[in-house]
Amino acid sequence: MEPLRSSDPARIADHRLLGRLGAGGMGVVYLARTPGGALVALKVLLAEYAEEAGFKERFRREVEVARRVDSPWAVPVVDADADAEAPWLATAFVPGPSLGEAVAAYGPLTERGLRVLGARLAEALSEVHRAGLVHRDLKPGNVLIAHDGPRLIDFGIARAPEDTALTATGMVVGTPGYLSPEQAEGRGGDGGIGPASDVFSLGCVLAFAATGRAPFGSGAVDALLYRAVHDPADLDGVPAGLLEVLGSCLEKDPDRRPDAGELARELAADGAARENEAQDDEASEWLPEPVTRLIAERSAAALALPDIEHTLAPSAGPAASAPAEPDTRGTSESAQPQDARPAGRRRFLLLAGGAVALAAGAGGTWWTVTRDGDAGGDGAAAAASSRWPVHTVALHADLSGPQRETGKAQERGLRLAVAEFNARDDAPFTVKVRAVDDKGDPATSARLATELTDDPAVLAVVGPTSDATAQTSLAKYDAGLLPVVAVSPGSTVLSIQGFRSFLHARLPDAVLPVYVSNYLRGTARSRKVGIVVDRPAGNYATDLSTSLSNVLGNAQQPSVPEVVSAMRRDFGSAVDAVLSAGADSVFFAGLPDRGALIAGTLRERGFDGARISGPALLDEAFLTKAQESAEGWTMVAPVIDATRKPEARKFAAAYRERWKEAPPRYAAEAYDVTGMLLKALAALPAKSRTRENLLAAVRAGKYTGITKPFAFEKTGLMVIDGNGGYLWRVEQGDFVYGGPAPLTV
């Protein structure tokens, strides 16, 4: 990002400009914040273009086209104004490089990376074509790279195949070198440019990503157009396993090319691009490590960008003047102006490079919840439904897939909070629960999010369960401004994408290394930390390891990094490397099954120093596979043991009474955020109980739960008042809760 120039405005509409992302002959693209604090890429056209006949109508069509494309792999439109003096368009900000930038700087992708890239771009194109459109300008510069996959951008010349307003016969539109033969020959007048043209361009993009060069070379435009029509593509260097599929994309005859859906299935035939596979293969190795690191650094830097000025008057939601109700579990504080909040309150801010700092400040209007009465059955809702208004709170979770235990725990926590609310004599309305199961599948998650958003009875959602399912669903919820509160996903990327309705009710993974560092330098008295980064863990490992390296570096604590490829199942060389370098403690950034491998290796080496990891290892699979090698391992996680925390005793007893077992991890957290939502909703006047007002009330307030206090930044990140990280240790073959992780050394 470049700094703003003196000629640049400070704002466009209500969007605050932060810097320049790029500029061209038609205008400038800025990085900006929406009034709600979301980061967007804001494309502004030069004013003189708006004076051309038909320009505003074409620009308005671009906006409409982009909004018709519904895919997790296409960047969504956030806002636009085609009638402004200088028309502008804002899309969600992706803090990653373009494909062209990534390949030019770090080289071609592996076959696995090409399959992930191709399958997801083909899925995006399939949605473009399903909307009755053709993109027409697919090239490396129009593909942005994120941790979980690519994002297709720029629908400026996308049109229906029969639309000749921009593509009359003989007119060539697009980027030479990536144009189909029919585009190169200007076959627009007879409707000859259809979906197959995009498939050809995708073949060109994949060839570039595989070799680092365009398949029809470089040089004069006329030469590039001629080669596209007459010459075979240069596929020298393309992995053998992809030659046939790329060759089919680059057929000169459009009728011989696969359609986008067929291409997506063929590229994903080996399962490489499926996000619902076993976690040891999930999205691993799809990007070169430097690109992964670049995305992590840009993501962390985005979190440190300025927020909306504090001089702006905050919008006064209906909850701003509502009186706080008494609370039998915590304290209630009166509302205060933002600049008059107690100086003693502490919050975490992620800074560039993953470092974390403490700064004064916390929420605005404070809220607590009344939980009088014992847990009741779902029959309480039925008994009250004839007397009170009914509102629905939804659970979006993995209830039958790989994270079903976490999903079921959250469902039960939510249902218990709802049952207690409905049992209250003074309940101003009845709450119904709608639970949906995405089975851990990102595509299903997106579909269910659309269904919940389209249901006007649903005023809030708790979930989803995983990073992958959250990533594909949050844009859907945001489109309907449906408040969604997540307690288990941890990816930092979720919080910086600017979703207005998303509330991240746990510490992101990139913050947890602050506690890890304090534990290692304080409790463990470590002098040098070995950091083992397991590539199959993808951006989870990157978030943890990058942040820990920076935190240790800021504390002048030596560390020894070692990266393990997904192709290796032997951690011997990595362990030997960090130990021979003098590491007396080891941090593992990875997932449970391979965590068991490194645990076994450390035990074989007789290592008795501190062994610590993040929340992923807090999983029964680690205990089962590591056996005695798991003994003594410590985990830092954003979750409590409700049976060991005094404030949660009443909840734990009610949970045992209802389900005949101790509450599992994440049940109390779901119980808390459900209580927070219901408290805020109950404080609103009956006619003001809308999604938008509920979101405003939760964002403006603070809620004291049984697990921790909850308050939120404008970006949806949680403000931590005290602790948000907790220690767990393996003792005698089980996870034992150790209380709050250390805030200081």
Side-chain angles (χ1 to χ4, degrees):
M1 180 179 70
E2 298 177 3
L4 292 173
R5 300 177 184 176
S6 58
S7 59
D8 289 325
R11 296 180 179 277
I12 292 176
D14 291 328
H15 297 72
R16 178 188 174 190
L17 305 188
L18 304 176
R20 283 175 164 237
L21 295 174
M26 294 192 68
V28 182
V29 180
Y30 297 101
L31 179 63
R33 281 201 187 277
T34 68
L39 289 174
V40 294
L42 197 149
K43 173 183 177 182
V44 184
L45 281 301
L46 297 178
E48 55 259 36
Y49 287 102
E51 299 173 1
E52 294 181 7
F55 177 86
K56 287 188 175 181
E57 182 58 35
R58 293 198 302 271
F59 187 78
R60 187 176 291 107
R61 183 182 297 183
E62 176 184 348
V63 175
E64 294 171 355
V65 165
R67 282 177 167 156
R68 284 163 62 183
V69 178
D70 184 15
S71 169
W73 314 121
V75 175
V77 172
V78 174
D79 200 358
D81 187 353
D83 296 315
E85 181 179 355
W88 56 269
L89 167 70
T91 60
F93 173 63
V94 179
S98 71
L99 178 64
E101 179 188 352
V103 172
Y106 302 110
L109 302 185
T110 63
E111 179 174 347
R112 177 179 179 78
L114 292 166
R115 286 185 176 274
V116 172
L117 174 72
R120 292 175 182 177
L121 286 177
E123 289 179 22
L125 285 179
S126 183
E127 289 300 319
V128 171
H129 300 160
R130 186 175 292 114
L133 305 168
V134 181
H135 188 281
R136 297 177 185 263
D137 196 21
L138 181 56
K139 59 185 178 181
N142 278 344
V143 176
L144 299 182
I145 301 298
H147 274 302
D148 59 339
R151 299 293 189 278
L152 181 60
I153 64 170
D154 202 344
F155 294 86
I157 60 173
R159 291 293 183 274
E162 67 277 6
D163 186 349
T164 61
L166 188 65
T167 54
T169 301
M171 183 182 233
V172 176
V173 178
T175 303
Y178 297 91
L179 298 179
S180 66
E182 51 269 36
Q183 285 179 292
E185 290 186 324
R187 304 180 207 162
D190 59 358
I193 298 179
S197 178
D198 285 342
V199 172
F200 187 95
S201 297
L202 178 54
C204 294
V205 168
L206 294 178
F208 166 81
T211 65
R213 62 185 186 277
F216 296 103
S218 59
V221 171
D222 288 348
L224 291 174
L225 298 178
Y226 179 88
R227 292 173 200 151
V229 176
H230 300 287
D231 291 354
D234 175 11
L235 299 182
D236 186 26
V238 171
L242 291 175
L243 280 172
E244 184 177 349
V245 65
L246 261 64
S248 67
C249 293
L250 296 170
E251 287 280 357
K252 304 299 185 185
D253 182 354
D255 293 335
R256 300 184 64 180
R257 299 171 203 153
D259 66 32
E262 293 171 13
L263 181 58
R265 290 188 291 274
E266 187 167 355
L267 287 167
D270 68 346
R274 298 297 183 190
E275 288 201 34
N276 58 348
E277 287 187 342
Q279 285 185 318
D280 63 334
D281 286 328
E282 181 179 350
S284 66
E285 301 285 337
W286 98 270
L287 290 173
E289 184 179 347
V291 179
T292 303
R293 189 180 305 116
L294 175 63
I295 296 170
E297 290 170 355
R298 290 188 179 182
S299 298
L303 285 172
L305 291 170
D307 202 346
I308 302 297
E309 291 96 338
H310 295 299
T311 54
L312 289 177
S315 58
S321 60
E325 296 181 17
D327 192 335
T328 59
R329 299 282 176 87
T331 59
S332 175
E333 305 179 54
S334 60
Q336 306 171 56
Q338 185 158 354
D339 57 357
R341 291 172 291 189
R345 300 287 175 188
R346 312 299 289 177
R347 65 186 175 95
F348 283 107
L349 289 178
L350 289 176
L351 300 182
V356 182
L358 293 171
T365 304
W366 312 103
W367 294 103
T368 55
V369 68
T370 302
R371 299 189 191 89
D372 299 328
D374 297 325
D378 292 337
S385 61
S386 61
R387 295 179 292 132
W388 303 110
V390 178
H391 300 301
T392 300
V393 174
L395 175 88
H396 179 164
D398 174 3
L399 299 176
S400 59
Q403 296 195 39
R404 56 186 174 276
E405 296 305 321
T406 298
K408 290 177 181 177
Q410 292 179 30
E411 180 184 16
R412 288 181 172 184
L414 179 149
R415 289 190 182 279
L416 187 54
V418 168
E420 290 186 1
F421 183 90
N422 286 336
R424 288 172 41 179
D425 292 336
D426 61 343
F429 51 82
T430 297
V431 182
K432 285 188 175 180
V433 175
R434 178 178 176 184
V436 297
D437 177 15
D438 63 25
K439 300 178 174 60
D441 175 54
T444 302
S445 176
R447 176 178 58 78
L448 292 175
T450 299
E451 291 180 6
L452 292 178
T453 302
D454 291 344
D455 182 351
V458 176
L459 294 187
V461 176
V462 175
T465 310
S466 70
D467 290 339
T469 53
Q471 183 65 62
T472 57
S473 64
L474 292 183
K476 313 293 184 183
Y477 289 126
D478 200 63
L481 209 64
L482 176 57
V484 54
V485 189
V487 297
S488 51
S491 174
T492 306
V493 173
L494 298 175
S495 296
I496 67 171
Q497 289 183 307
F499 298 117
R500 299 166 298 168
S501 65
F502 176 51
L503 300 169
H504 206 173
R506 57 150 284 190
L507 283 182
D509 292 329
V511 179
L512 296 176
V514 174
Y515 299 104
V516 173
S517 171
N518 293 339
Y519 175 86
L520 290 174
R521 294 186 296 120
T523 306
R525 299 284 188 258
S526 176
R527 296 180 301 277
K528 182 178 285 189
V529 181
I531 303 175
V532 179
V533 186
D534 199 25
R535 287 296 301 275
N539 50 324
Y540 167 76
T542 303
D543 280 353
L544 289 175
S545 58
T546 301
S547 180
L548 181 59
S549 295
N550 286 326
V551 171
L552 292 174
N554 291 339
Q556 299 184 333
Q557 174 85 2
S559 62
V560 184
E562 188 70 23
V563 179
V564 180
S565 166
M567 304 301 292
R568 299 184 64 90
R569 292 189 62 81
D570 179 6
F571 280 77
S573 60
V575 167
D576 292 341
V578 297
L579 296 186
S580 63
D584 57 7
S585 63
V586 173
F587 175 79
F588 175 67
L591 303 176
D593 54 345
R594 288 169 66 87
L597 297 177
I598 191 173
T601 303
L602 287 168
R603 186 168 185 268
E604 290 171 3
R605 300 296 192 270
F607 181 73
D608 59 0
R611 292 143 292 157
I612 189 167
S613 190
L617 255 63
L618 194 61
D619 189 297
E620 295 301 320
F622 177 64
L623 299 179
T624 301
K625 295 183 178 182
Q627 298 292 323
E628 61 271 14
S629 299
E631 199 70 18
W633 273 75
T634 299
M635 293 83 189
V636 174
V639 61
I640 69 161
D641 180 349
T643 65
R644 300 284 298 274
K645 197 171 191 293
E647 296 88 342
R649 285 174 182 164
K650 186 176 179 182
F651 161 78
Y655 191 99
R656 280 185 185 276
E657 181 179 352
R658 185 163 185 181
W659 283 289
K660 313 306 178 187
E661 64 179 22
R665 291 181 291 274
Y666 288 108
E669 284 74 15
Y671 173 87
D672 261 355
V673 298
T674 305
M676 173 185 70
L677 291 166
L678 296 180
K679 173 62 181 181
L681 190 62
L684 295 172
K687 293 183 179 180
S688 298
R689 291 180 191 136
T690 65
R691 294 173 175 180
E692 185 173 2
N693 289 338
L694 174 58
L695 181 63
V698 174
R699 281 187 178 277
K702 176 180 176 182
Y703 171 78
T704 303
I706 61 173
T707 61
K708 55 183 172 284
F710 293 86
F712 299 92
E713 298 286 344
K714 290 181 180 178
T715 58
L717 276 169
M718 188 172 69
V719 176
I720 303 300
D721 185 356
N723 286 284
Y726 304 92
L727 293 176
W728 292 76
R729 184 178 172 86
V730 180
E731 295 179 5
Q732 298 181 355
D734 201 2
F735 293 115
V736 177
Y737 178 63
L743 279 169
T744 59
V745 176

